[in-house]
Amino acid sequence: QVQLVESGGGLVQAGGSLRVSCAASGVTFSSYDMGWFRQGPGKEREFVAAISRSGGSTVYADSVKGRFTIFRDNAKNTMYLQMNSLKPEDTAVYYCAARPPTWGTAKDGPYRYWGQGTQVTVSS
């Protein structure tokens, strides 16, 4: 059974930092490109960042570029999103997802597996 479990969300003040994690099980983690998505209150889910199987290639949404860093540790079957200079508009539920590299594109998917999400709230 494939599981993606996010953790590390919480409440942080604007300008602060937070790191969220995504632990994978039941899947050959290093065979999948991975991505982070988010859904803010009253908004549609949107792409945040993605990383290739090896970690050598990354892509970011313009809204987070320069503030967020996506990386992964294939030995630990875990992906991370380091979020710095957080803004209230970053408030959202953050989801991780796994995509076979032959499926679609990093930004548009489709992604095969999804986690349940972790809440990130940035106060002003």
Side-chain angles (χ1 to χ4, degrees), residues 3-11 17-24 34-37 69 71 76-83 92-97 114-121:
Q3 278 193 314
L4 300 178
V5 180
E6 301 93 338
S7 62
L11 174 64
S17 297
L18 203 62
R19 179 181 293 181
V20 291
S21 303
C22 171
M34 299 293 294
W36 285 101
F37 293 78
T69 302
F71 58 104
K76 295 183 178 180
N77 289 350
T78 303
M79 175 182 64
Y80 305 90
L81 185 67
Q82 176 68 41
M83 302 181 288
V93 177
Y94 283 73
Y95 299 91
C96 67
W114 291 84
Q116 293 300 307
T118 185
Q119 176 71 47
V120 172
T121 303

Side-chain angles (χ1 to χ4, degrees), residues 18-22 29 32-37 47-61 64-73 78-84 94-98 106 111:
L18 203 62
R19 179 181 293 181
V20 291
S21 303
C22 171
F29 183 68
Y32 288 82
D33 293 345
M34 299 293 294
W36 285 101
F37 293 78
F47 169 80
V48 175
I51 188 167
S52 61
R53 287 169 291 170
S54 68
S57 179
T58 59
V59 61
Y60 296 91
V64 306
K65 202 172 295 183
R67 299 188 298 122
F68 290 11
T69 302
I70 185 172
F71 58 104
R72 64 192 294 168
D73 185 339
T78 303
M79 175 182 64
Y80 305 90
L81 185 67
Q82 176 68 41
M83 302 181 288
N84 298 329
Y94 283 73
Y95 299 91
C96 67
Y111 282 74

Side-chain angles (χ1 to χ4, degrees), residues 37 47 99 103-111:
F37 293 78
F47 169 80
R99 182 180 67 86
W103 285 23
T105 66
K107 289 186 176 181
D108 299 324
Y111 282 74

